[in-house]
Structure formats: structure tokens, C-alpha cells
Amino acid sequence: MTSEAAPPGLLRGPLDALKGIGPARARDLASSGVETPLDLLLHLPFRYEDRSRLARIADLAPGSPAATVGGTVLSARLVRTRRPGFTIFEAVLDDGTASARLVFFNQPWLARWMTPGTRLFVFGAPGETGRGRRGVVLENPAVEADVDDPDSSLSVGRVVPIYRKLRGLQPRLRRRLVAGLLDAADRELPERLPAALRAAHGLPTLADSLREAHFPGSAGGDPDPEAFVERRSPHLSRLVLEELLELQVGLLLRRRQRRHVPGPLLAATPEIRRRLASLLPFALTPAQRRAIRQIGADLRSGRPMSRFLHGDVGTGKTIVAVLTALLSASCGWQTAFLAPTEVLAEQHAASVFRLLRGTEFTPALLTARVRGRPRRALLAALAAGEVQIVVGTHALLTDPGAFRRLGLVVVDEQHRFGVAQRAVLGTREGPGGERPHVLVMSATPIPRSLALALYGDMDVSTLDERPPGRSPVATRVLPEAARREVLAEVDAEVARGGQAYVVVPLVEESESVEARAAERHAEDLRRALPGRRVAVVHGRLSGEEREAAMSAFAGGSVDVLVATTVIEVGVDVPNASFLVVENAERFGLAQLHQLRGRVGRGSRPSRCVFLAGEAATAEALDRLDVLVRTDDGFVVAEEDLKRRGPGDFLGTRQSGVPFLRVANVVLDVGWLRVARDVAAGLVDSGREGPFAEPLFLRRTASDG
Ligand code: ADP
Ligand code: MG
């Protein structure tokens, strides 16, 4: 039997198949991410306006709330103005109780149809008529509909959906399109939630939920738009659950697929174990040992590992990854160790080189800065299997086939690698069809809810303790005015042999403005701290210059390092004991916690001062106070996520968070758990089929 592809249907077809959408509008919409009618349908209103009560014009008074009135146009005229390009169109609308003056700026086209005798509805806030005239005026009211238009019921006499604006789509047209798409949804979208599940949680059908989401009250019953806005509507919950279920089924399927793929067999013999232990510069913490046991079990399972290792700053994730790489090398397999930035790649490379000194293993560093002949030589050595561990930035990913036997990929990710990129990592095969093991490390702790959404396809190891001998970093939030005293403290700390970081605030405009601000700040510090050696690092420096400054600081020949947030990414200078962050209110909590992790890494008691600028609001100060109260990165992460939402928590541009249309991983965390359980049940019993075709999740959803 030949299988014929089913026609895509209206919802998954092209946008310009819709009446009123031509190729130009379709292109505009596509540029805002609406590529199919389905995209439009799943773009839910963010609020509603109750236009169910029609007002009488006689009851309108200047300053009374916005209202809908309907009537007949008595007169209309285009007013000439002296300003070129500026037009005023005026119409008088009468509903039998009184008349109102409608004033439209720069909408001359209205003159073409809003002629005397036209019957229409408008919605707007009444204002003063001025100049002694009587009656009310409505300036730029929303022209809702022609009274005789069969679609007028979508915009008038009901609770009306208000959407975030999309270029090229006027509200009235949009409501009409959505109404049509809801009918298409009845025909084309199957009900996928098992009836028992719906019954257990009191959830309505998909068709009803979509209708209610767009036009409250249309599935029968009283409209309750507040329930949507406050996220307590069962109609919304149903859509949220379905979206999360799709996500979780996808993640669980990925996890299950790995069970049928071979992975490199990496087993530590007692001899290898002794060898690795002898290389360690310190005793592992119990948490590190636990993580290594879990990883060890994965590596000898014959299946590719896919493990997420997270822990607070300073809990020692790097050594866990390096030991794993060494085990892989001992068994004859290569490791790619990927860092998000060159600074961090160089630092990881330095710790790998240090540990491997005196062993037979050859490590290498491969970043964009390695060019020409050295690069070609290195790639040849990798291909020949002469290099066992290569540390680099994700540019490594663009050199496919570079390895002879890639057994392990370590990703130190700072959320910068998307789920899709991780999937690519696992596709290169070894000589026996083996897929490499993958270990992903996060820079900061990830709240449970987010970890489930982002890393639900992976096993998780958590480092929940710091190496012994670390005292918590004494943290204060101070006003800018205290800078002088703070600098005196810095000076005293340097006199005692310590070192300090001073972090300058983010500058949004450009890297060069930020660089100049950092340079200027360094100058100020040199004046304020005479005799102290001050260096500066920022994104505008070349790699060599940055490295020179960083290694001078690490080597102790610089006392104070002024930095933009380039130091955030995991730099490790154990002697640094003082951190000052300027304009701390401009940073996210998780980021500040990460910055704070740059000190308190050695045995020296450490201090941290967050300076709040004059513009800092009470809310911002309250937020900063979280860092004074706790040094538990998981608590900080939860607070940050709660206060800023997942987009900002992850950083919007580099989020790698699957794009969720309706669900919010923070507010809907309860449903996330339900979805996880239900998805596991469906996948275990082979009933996940209907969820394999994404409805909510975009195909490109997982690209970071
Ligand atoms: P993070 O988890 O933030 O990446 P690192 O791996 O950079 O932490 O480790 C932080 C510091 O602690 C490093 O200087 C590292 O050498 C050190 N370290 C890691 N594990 C231990 C341990 N078990 N005992 C003592 N020091 C350790
Ligand atoms: Mg780290």
C-alpha cells in the first residue's frame, strides 16, 4: 500500500490561504513568528475588554470609562489642516438618545466609507468637546464594526479578546480570522487528552478551551475573562497541560531512543581508578564522589550517557568532568570539552593541562584563535587519535569528523547551548556505531521546574556541598554613597595580601561604550587607590590582552581587577577575596550570585558588596536583599525565576528554552509535574502516538 500524505488542512497550510491575508501580510506575519494559521490560533489574548454593555450616548460624560456606542452617522467631513500630511476626519454619530463627535487623526481613508447613513459601533473614552460645544467627543475611537456586518458580534456586545499587536493585522480582521480558525480547529484538531485525565482534573475539551480562550462565554456559561488572566481557568489549564505534555513526551521519547543505541563501553579497572586517584590534587567531596559513581555506571552501561550535572558555584563541577574525560582517555576514547567562551575554554584547558602533566595523555586547546598551520596540525592530530582531550569553544562543533574516536562530549553550558545543539553532539558515531556520552554542566543551579522543562531528557546529578574550609562570603548591599568607605576596605584587604574584583555595570548600548566605562572606572580606582595595581578586562580587548590581564591577576601581580561581566563565566582565582559590584540593581539575582562565586574560592575569608545606584527602586533593594539572606544558589535561582520569569532568567537571546506558547514554567509548575507523570504513563504503555505530531511546540522550538 502506498501511503499518501494527508493534505495539511487549513491550520497547517499557508497563511495566505486565509481570506484577507495576501502574500505581503503573510510575510509581515512570518517575520513576527506567525507562519501558519495554527500559529495565529495559538496566539492567545493577553487580556480582554468587556464590551458587552452598550452605552447610550446620552449617558456618556467627559471622563467616564471607555464604552461601546452604536448609531448612525449623521454627517462626516475631512478637515483641512495647515500641517502637510496631517489630516483630521470628523463624524457625528447619533443613537437616538444623543449624538457624539468622533475625531480621527491621520485616518483619511475612513472618509471613503464612513458617510452619512452608515451604521456602526465604536469603542472609546469620552473626552471634553471644548470650545463651548455641547455633547461628548471620542478621539480616535476603535471602529468596531458595521452594525449590519455579520461579524459584528465578534467585536461588540461581548467580552472582546485583546491580543499583542502583530504587524499587518488589524484587530477586527484578526478576530474574524480567529473565529474562522476555531471552526477549522473543530474539524482538524483531534481531542488528545484521555477522557479519564480530563475527568480527573475537571478539564474541558480542546475545542471548548480554544473557543473560551479567544471568546470567553462562547462555549456556554458566563464569560469569566478574569479567570484567564489570573490563570485559574480550567480552559487555560487544559491548554497548558496539553502543551507541557507534548514537551515531556518528546523528552521522554528521546531518552527512550537512547536505550536502543550503543555507547562506548568505558569501564574503570582498579588500575585506572588508582591512577586517576593519584592525579587528584585534593580529596573529593561526598557529593563529587556520588556524581562520579553515577557517571561511572552510565559509562559502563553500553548505552550513551546523557547526564546533566548541576550545582552551586564553587561546588567543583570541573574536576568531575575532567575525571570523566580521563577515564574516557584511559579506555582509548577521545573527549571534546566545550565551553561557552574563550576565557573559560582557556581556563578549563589550563586545569586539564595541569592534571595531565606527567601522564601519557595529550590535551589540546582549540578556539577561534588557533589558526593557520597550528590549527591544521591540531586537527590532523585529532583525526589520528593522537590528542585525547580537546578543550574548546562551541566552534569545535563546526569541525565535524575531526575525531578518530569521540567517546565523550562535555558541555559547560551557561544555558548557551540549545537542546537541538545537544542533540547534534550525540549523533557522531564511533567505529561500532557508538554514540558519544554527553555530560552537560550548568554554570548556576537550575530551579527544579526549569530543569524538568529544559533537561527532562537527561539524568541529573546534583552537587549540593562545597569543598571543606570555605566560609560563606559576607555580603552587604550598600548605597553608592558608601563607595569611599568600601574602597578603603578594599585597600586594607589588598594590604593583607588579598585581591579584589570590581564589576562595572552592564551597558546596553554597545560593547565599545561598555569598554570605555570600564576603562574610566579603572582610572578612577587608580586615583582612589594610589600604589595599588589595577587592571581592566572587557569585551573589547583582544584575546591576548584579556588573557594577559587575567593571568596577571591570577598570578598575583595585579591587586584589583576591574571587569565587565566577562569574569562571570567561571573564572577561578582562589586568592581573590573581595568583590564590589557597581549598580548591582541592574543585574539579575542569579547573575549576581554567580559573580559572588568568584570570591570565597580559597581559604581566605571573603566579602562582597553590592552597591545600589541612586535610581534603585525599593523593589530592587528588596530583591538584592535575597543575596544577603542566603548563599544557597538554588534558593537564589528560584527567587530570580519567580521575580523575572524564565525568559530573563535564562537570558532571552541565548535561552535554549523550548518556546512555550501557553505554559509558563514558573506559574504552571504544578501542571508541569502532572504532565511529567502523564507523559511517563503514555510512553510506557505505547500510547504517546497522538502527541508525536506537535501542535503547540514548534519544530524549531528547541533551537536555542
Ligand atoms: P564550579 O562548580 O563553580 O565550576 P570549580 O570546578 O571551578 O567550581 O571549583 C571551584 C574551586 O574549588 C576550584 O579552585 C577547584 O580546584 C576547587 N575544588 C574543587 N573540588 C574540590 C575539593 N574536593 N576539595 C578542594 N578544592 C576543590
Ligand atoms: Mg565552573
Side-chain angles (χ1 to χ4, degrees):
M1 206 182 88
T2 54
S3 70
E4 226 170 278
L10 181 71
L11 290 178
R12 297 180 207 263
L15 262 183
D16 57 13
L18 301 179
K19 219 176 135 211
I21 304 281
R25 265 200 180 130
R27 267 195 306 278
D28 273 350
L29 289 170
S31 70
S32 345
V34 175
E35 287 169 2
T36 62
L38 183 62
D39 290 333
L40 191 60
L41 180 64
L42 296 180
H43 222 199
L44 301 187
F46 73 102
R47 68 179 181 90
Y48 303 86
E49 239 162 46
D50 189 351
R51 300 185 189 168
S52 51
R53 272 184 311 275
L54 274 181
R56 298 169 357 132
I57 293 178
D59 295 336
L60 297 186
S64 60
T68 300
V69 294
T72 305
V73 174
L74 294 185
S75 65
R77 65 188 189 118
L78 206 50
V79 183
R80 273 180 213 294
T81 66
R82 289 217 193 95
R83 260 203 284 157
F86 182 72
T87 66
I88 296 176
F89 175 68
E90 284 192 7
V92 174
L93 185 73
D94 190 286
D95 69 351
T97 67
S99 52
R101 201 152 60 91
L102 314 181
V103 181
F104 300 93
F105 301 110
N106 285 337
Q107 301 173 60
W109 54 85
L110 290 173
R112 259 182 279 141
W113 65 272
M114 207 182 282
T115 50
T118 308
R119 301 186 334 119
L120 53 85
F121 289 107
V122 296
F123 175 79
E128 296 285 349
T129 311
R131 285 194 236 121
R133 290 197 232 184
R134 286 190 299 132
V136 288
V137 66
L138 299 173
E139 271 185 15
N140 279 337
V143 175
E144 284 308 348
D146 207 314
V147 171
D148 307 309
D149 176 349
D151 291 326
S152 69
S153 64
L154 296 176
S155 299
V156 164
R158 62 153 57 248
V159 174
V160 176
I162 309 292
Y163 302 96
R164 295 209 189 283
K165 281 202 177 66
L166 285 173
R167 219 175 100 197
L169 200 52
Q170 298 309 311
R172 254 199 310 165
L173 171 60
R174 183 168 186 174
R175 283 177 214 133
R176 182 166 65 72
L177 291 175
V178 168
L181 295 178
L182 284 167
D183 293 337
D186 291 344
R187 292 189 304 272
E188 294 178 20
L189 302 182
E191 173 56 52
R192 299 188 297 180
L193 292 193
L197 176 67
R198 282 198 287 119
H201 294 280
L203 299 176
T205 62
L206 176 64
D208 278 352
S209 296
L210 285 173
R211 269 185 203 285
E212 280 292 316
H214 287 287
F215 297 109
S218 60
D222 283 339
D224 187 2
E226 289 313 304
F228 272 92
V229 177
E230 291 164 12
R231 296 189 95 71
R232 55 181 166 74
S233 160
H235 295 287
L236 179 63
S237 300
R238 185 242 138 74
L239 299 174
V240 164
L241 177 60
E242 186 160 6
E243 178 170 48
L244 293 175
L245 201 48
E246 224 173 68
L247 174 71
Q248 291 301 328
V249 164
L251 291 171
L252 290 176
L253 282 179
R254 279 246 303 259
R255 180 196 266 271
R256 204 172 55 163
Q257 276 157 12
R258 280 200 310 272
R259 285 197 217 142
H260 306 292
V261 177
L265 244 160
L266 308 180
T269 60
E271 197 191 315
I272 292 177
R273 237 182 269 266
R274 262 197 305 279
R275 197 59 216 298
L276 296 185
S278 74
L279 294 174
L280 275 178
F282 38 63
L284 295 174
T285 65
Q288 285 170 322
R289 283 208 300 275
R290 189 179 59 225
I292 283 173
R293 266 201 310 278
Q294 291 165 338
I295 290 169
D298 291 350
L299 298 186
R300 55 174 183 272
S301 71
R303 304 283 165 225
M305 165 172 79
S306 182
R307 186 165 285 278
F308 175 56
L309 173 66
H310 70 154
D312 208 343
V313 279
T315 48
K317 294 180 284 286
T318 314
I319 190 72
V320 173
V322 173
L323 280 175
T324 308
L326 283 174
L327 171 61
S328 167
S330 308
C331 298
W333 290 80
Q334 292 168 296
T335 294
F337 199 132
L338 307 181
T341 65
E342 297 203 347
V343 173
L344 203 55
E346 284 156 12
Q347 187 182 292
H348 283 327
S351 25
V352 170
F353 283 43
R354 216 179 302 126
L355 274 174
L356 266 60
R357 207 173 289 144
T359 71
E360 74 276 22
F361 302 124
T362 309
L365 171 67
L366 182 59
T367 64
R369 280 161 60 193
V370 182
R371 279 187 289 258
R373 257 235 303 264
R375 185 178 195 92
R376 284 195 297 279
L378 175 51
L379 289 176
L382 263 181
E386 291 156 12
V387 165
Q388 288 81 34
I389 301 180
V390 60
V391 185
T393 50
H394 61 259
L396 263 184
L397 289 179
T398 58
D399 270 325
F403 297 86
R404 199 173 79 89
R405 275 184 114 194
L406 181 61
L408 170 68
V409 178
V410 176
V411 187
D412 192 0
E413 85 164 352
Q414 329 257 334
H415 324 304
R416 268 168 227 211
F417 294 90
V419 178
Q421 280 169 300
R422 288 207 308 268
V424 170
L425 293 174
T427 56
R428 238 161 264 153
E429 292 183 1
E434 299 94 336
R435 300 278 177 85
H437 299 290
V438 175
L439 180 66
V440 175
M441 303 190 289
S442 80
T444 50
I446 309 278
R448 261 193 61 78
S449 59
L450 208 49
L452 213 51
L454 286 174
Y455 302 99
D457 58 333
M458 311 188 87
D459 299 306
V460 177
S461 294
T462 307
L463 298 185
D464 52 10
E465 62 193 317
R466 293 196 172 88
R470 306 278 159 85
S471 43
V473 178
T475 302
R476 284 165 295 165
V477 176
L478 295 175
E480 239 169 14
R483 186 184 289 111
R484 213 187 239 285
E485 291 91 276
V486 172
L487 290 183
E489 283 185 44
V490 168
D491 196 58
E493 179 66 14
V494 171
R496 279 193 296 272
Q499 288 169 284
Y501 295 102
V502 175
V503 177
V504 298
L506 307 165
V507 176
E508 295 289 333
E509 300 112 81
S510 76
E511 224 178 35
S512 63
V513 177
E514 186 165 280
R516 254 180 288 133
E519 300 275 4
R520 213 176 315 117
H521 209 87
E523 274 314 307
D524 291 347
L525 282 177
R526 286 190 188 105
R527 269 195 296 278
L529 303 172
R532 301 304 177 200
R533 297 160 300 177
V534 178
V536 55
V537 286
H538 52 70
R540 263 301 163 105
L541 296 181
S542 73
E544 282 87 359
E545 291 169 309
R546 210 161 53 208
E547 193 183 17
M550 298 286 242
S551 56
F553 186 67
S557 58
V558 160
D559 304 311
V560 179
L561 187 67
V562 177
T564 55
T565 45
V566 290
I567 69 153
E568 178 196 350
V569 285
V571 297
D572 185 28
V573 180
N575 191 54
S577 50
F578 209 116
L579 172 78
V580 181
V581 181
E582 295 276 350
N583 286 102
E585 75 279 2
R586 295 199 203 159
F587 296 85
L589 284 181
Q591 200 179 12
L592 288 172
H593 180 71
Q594 177 72 13
L595 282 170
R596 177 167 61 178
R598 297 313 105 212
V599 295
R601 297 175 83 82
S603 48
R604 193 175 273 285
S606 296
R607 273 170 287 172
C608 166
V609 174
F610 296 127
L611 287 177
E614 277 167 18
T617 59
E619 194 278 327
L621 293 175
D622 177 58
R623 196 163 58 89
L624 291 175
D625 201 46
V626 171
L627 295 166
V628 177
R629 288 198 307 267
T630 182
D631 72 336
D632 181 334
F634 284 92
V635 176
V636 172
E638 291 282 358
E639 280 286 331
D640 200 29
L641 186 58
K642 226 184 290 165
R643 285 161 194 253
R644 293 196 303 162
D648 285 326
F649 176 81
L650 293 170
T652 34
R653 269 165 306 155
Q654 57 210 34
S655 70
V657 70
F659 181 75
L660 296 172
R661 299 189 207 232
V662 236
N664 176 312
V665 288
V666 185
L667 302 175
D668 300 319
V669 63
W671 289 113
L672 188 60
R673 286 195 202 102
V674 174
R676 183 74 172 177
D677 291 347
V678 174
L682 289 173
V683 169
D684 286 345
S685 58
R687 287 178 299 136
E688 78 285 354
F691 294 92
E693 163 111 19
L695 175 63
F696 291 92
L697 294 185
R698 292 161 195 265
R699 250 167 243 295
T700 53
S702 42
D703 297 308

